[in-house]
Amino acid sequence: MAYLLCRFLAFALAAGFVLGHQHSARASLQNVLSHPMRTVNNVLPSVREHWMRQANAAMAELVSPCPFGAFASVIVNHTASTSGELVCIGANAVRSTGNPIMHGEIAAIQNCTAIFTDPHGPYNYTASQAQAAFADLSLYTNAESCPMCASAIRWAGFREYIYGSSIEGLIAQGWNQIRVSSVEIFQESFDLPNAARLIGGVLTEETDPLFAWQYNADFPCPTGCARVSGSCSPVEK
């Protein structure tokens, strides 16, 4: 009996060590969110802010200066030049298409795939080449991705994912959100083959106001828009 008890205790201690090691490895992944004012992969914070502004501009270009769901993304290649080269853009198209998963990030990924595989386009990639190309790309989105889109970003294999307003900030403004952060998605996706950098809170002084008027009638409309029947609408020029 004493022998069996000793064996059991030894097994329990060993199991505890393994679990503790796994917990330690998991904990080491908790600091995966880079500060917006850090230079990451040789890309300056000012360059990050430029591309976040382009994400905001994509929303105005593809939809309007004040769509209700003001979520938009740009996909950029920083490997050819740290200043970045635009590959494609996308904006939330749920209301216009009726497709409930057509968030800005999904739209941008689909647009990039179409550009990569267009036989008359600048790339003319095969399907496998198009899939591999995402490993060199950075996705900028003006609000933190929902868990569906954050997971899509990880499955696509992006080199970097950069967001503006946070899920916590959106919730504070009245937005309904699935309360799973991008940090959590990154923590739970370390088995995937492509590593990625996560940078949050970029240019929030310009992204936050885009999501503040929808549930606050006293908040001013974005530039180029005015209140009409309680909502913000583009002003006719």
Side-chain angles (χ1 to χ4, degrees):
M1 179 66 72
Y3 171 77
L4 292 176
L5 180 60
C6 289
R7 289 293 303 271
F8 173 78
L9 289 173
F11 174 79
L13 287 171
F17 173 78
V18 171
L19 290 173
H21 177 73
Q22 290 176 340
H23 176 76
S24 176
R26 184 72 57 86
S28 69
L29 294 169
Q30 290 178 356
N31 296 322
V32 297
L33 183 64
S34 296
H35 191 277
M37 297 311 295
R38 283 185 58 192
T39 296
V40 177
N41 290 331
N42 296 318
V43 179
L44 296 172
S46 59
V47 174
R48 303 288 187 192
E49 292 178 348
H50 165 77
W51 287 111
M52 191 60 68
R53 289 192 177 98
Q54 296 309 302
N56 290 338
M59 172 198 67
E61 177 182 340
L62 295 174
V63 189
S64 87
C66 52
F68 190 89
F71 303 93
S73 303
V74 296
I75 293 177
V76 178
N77 189 337
H78 285 296
T79 61
S81 168
T82 55
S83 60
E85 296 178 358
L86 180 66
V87 180
C88 65
I89 63 178
N92 186 293
V94 172
R95 291 193 174 194
S96 62
T97 64
N99 185 340
I101 68 168
M102 194 54 64
H103 293 190
E105 300 92 326
I106 302 298
I109 292 170
Q110 286 194 352
N111 290 340
C112 268
T113 301
I115 290 171
F116 284 150
T117 58
D118 182 355
H120 305 293
Y123 300 97
N124 189 24
Y125 285 165
T126 64
S128 60
Q129 288 173 326
Q131 186 174 5
F134 285 99
D136 289 333
L137 303 183
S138 302
L139 186 145
Y140 290 77
T141 182
N142 57 6
E144 183 177 358
S145 300
C146 71
M148 174 187 73
C149 292
S151 297
I153 289 167
R154 290 295 291 121
W155 280 115
F158 281 96
R159 182 171 181 253
E160 299 176 327
Y161 154 40
I162 306 96
Y163 68 81
S165 302
S166 68
I167 286 177
E168 290 85 355
L170 293 174
I171 292 169
Q173 295 291 354
W175 289 87
N176 295 323
Q177 294 288 298
I178 297 176
R179 301 186 183 208
V180 178
S181 71
S182 295
V183 168
E184 292 176 79
I185 298 299
F186 269 56
Q187 286 175 337
E188 299 300 335
S189 61
F190 56 85
D191 285 335
L192 297 184
N194 292 330
R197 295 301 300 268
L198 173 61
I199 306 169
V202 174
L203 205 69
T204 54
E205 66 273 18
E206 295 183 24
T207 61
D208 284 353
L210 298 175
F211 307 100
W213 62 266
Q214 291 87 342
Y215 298 101
N216 183 352
D218 296 325
F219 196 88
C221 293
T223 302
C225 300
R227 290 276 176 186
V228 178
S229 301
S231 185
C232 293
S233 298
V235 176
E236 294 184 7
K237 298 180 180 181

